[in-house]
Amino acid sequence: MLDRARAELAADGCCILPGFVRAELLEKLRAEGELLAPHGYYTVERVNAYNIPLDAELPADHPARIVMERGNAFVARDLIPATALIEVLYSHEQFRRFVADCFGLAELHEYTDPLAGLVLNVVSPGMSHPWHFDTNEFTVSMLTQEPESGGVFEYCPAIRSPQAENLADVRRVLTGSGDDLIRRITLRPGDLQLFQGRFSLHRVSPVAGTRQRHTAIFAYSEQPGVIGAVERTRQLFGRVLPAHLAATGNSVRGDQLLD
């Protein structure tokens, strides 16, 4: 399984391990997410793919000038019970060791951030999580409730690198002329997804029907002590805590990409 995960991640930055959660636990996984979803921070924001200010001084044809609406919500970690299946997984040493091995890393650490690290991402009918890059190199996630229709995970593998933004291809995707760069994955509840979202533009397409799309996001870091930036934390959760204010100015970046 490790060999397969590493090969697929090397090939296009994404690996799906289907049925990671046993079938008899899928309803418990779904029900726990349904109870958590109302506690998410719901807001519709105008954003760009880089999650930088919309008035940033950039050339007129820069893809960050393309504005989209982000309508997904996040349930913060401090609202997730210690007994929830996604919390048990996220904090389990063997699970973290397994994830590190899949990515070929010596070790991984939970986020110190009291709100981030483990979150439940909620996309309601009529909403989407538009095209974006992640701030961390890799993400581990698990669909816990699928929508009636829509909500497809779409991504452009390695569309940029630590050395190059590749703005022309990013702009093609954002303007609807880059379908040849897009791959689409059908996810099922309980599937574990390993994804290198720092360099792969990705989105969740608009959700349709009456049922929300729920996804647990497990974020780890190679360095201990990771705490989110104040502005980004407020954007995602609608609040910040003293830990975020105390960490201001101490963030560590692994590259010089736009976000």
Side-chain angles (χ1 to χ4, degrees), residues 6-245:
R6 291 168 181 167
E8 293 183 6
L9 287 167
D12 72 354
C14 185
C15 172
I16 307 299
L17 301 178
F20 193 84
V21 171
R22 297 195 306 274
E24 61 266 29
L25 289 177
L26 291 180
E27 174 56 27
K28 176 177 172 60
L29 187 73
R30 187 205 64 78
E32 289 178 347
E34 189 171 48
L35 288 174
L36 289 171
H39 300 290
Y41 175 60
Y42 289 83
T43 182
V44 177
E45 289 188 292
R46 299 175 73 246
V47 298
N48 54 43
Y50 302 91
N51 287 306
I52 61 173
L54 300 183
D55 58 356
E57 294 186 9
L58 296 168
D61 63 346
H62 196 288
R65 294 284 191 187
I66 298 172
V67 179
M68 301 164 285
E69 283 195 348
R70 184 181 69 80
N72 61 306
F74 289 97
V75 179
R77 186 181 184 183
D78 65 347
L79 300 175
I80 299 174
T83 56
L85 290 180
I86 57 174
E87 172 64 38
V88 171
L89 264 180
Y90 179 68
S91 59
H92 202 289
E93 183 179 353
Q94 285 181 289
F95 180 69
R96 187 168 65 252
R97 179 67 264 161
F98 172 74
V99 170
D101 287 342
C102 286
F103 285 106
L105 300 172
E107 61 179 345
L108 286 177
H109 302 272
E110 291 184 28
Y111 276 24
T112 301
D113 192 311
L115 301 183
L118 171 68
V119 298
L120 185 73
N121 184 17
V122 180
V123 186
S124 296
M127 298 296 180
S128 70
H129 193 175
W131 291 110
H132 65 285
F133 292 102
D134 292 339
T135 54
N136 47 315
E137 279 199 29
F138 55 87
T139 302
V140 184
S141 61
M142 178 183 291
L143 192 73
T144 65
Q145 176 172 281
E146 59 187 336
E148 291 178 4
S149 62
V152 176
F153 183 79
E154 303 180 336
Y155 70 108
C156 306
I159 198 171
R160 70 176 181 177
S161 72
Q163 296 77 35
E165 291 280 5
N166 195 10
L167 299 177
D169 278 348
V170 173
R171 183 173 180 82
R172 282 180 57 207
V173 174
L174 298 182
T175 56
S177 60
D179 197 67
D180 58 304
L181 301 172
I182 302 173
R183 300 187 187 183
R184 296 173 174 88
I185 292 179
T186 300
L187 297 167
R188 297 289 180 246
D191 293 352
L192 188 70
Q193 180 179 13
L194 309 173
F195 183 59
Q196 294 170 326
R198 179 69 176 150
F199 309 116
S200 298
L201 187 68
H202 54 289
R203 75 165 183 168
V204 173
S205 68
V207 167
T210 60
R211 189 165 58 236
Q212 292 179 328
R213 182 187 193 271
H214 297 166
T215 306
I217 300 176
F218 311 90
Y220 299 101
S221 173
E222 292 182 72
Q223 295 83 30
V226 170
I227 296 179
V230 169
E231 181 179 347
R232 181 72 171 141
T233 299
R234 185 174 285 113
Q235 181 187 47
L236 295 178
F237 303 111
R239 57 193 171 107
V240 296
L241 300 177
H244 301 103
L245 299 174

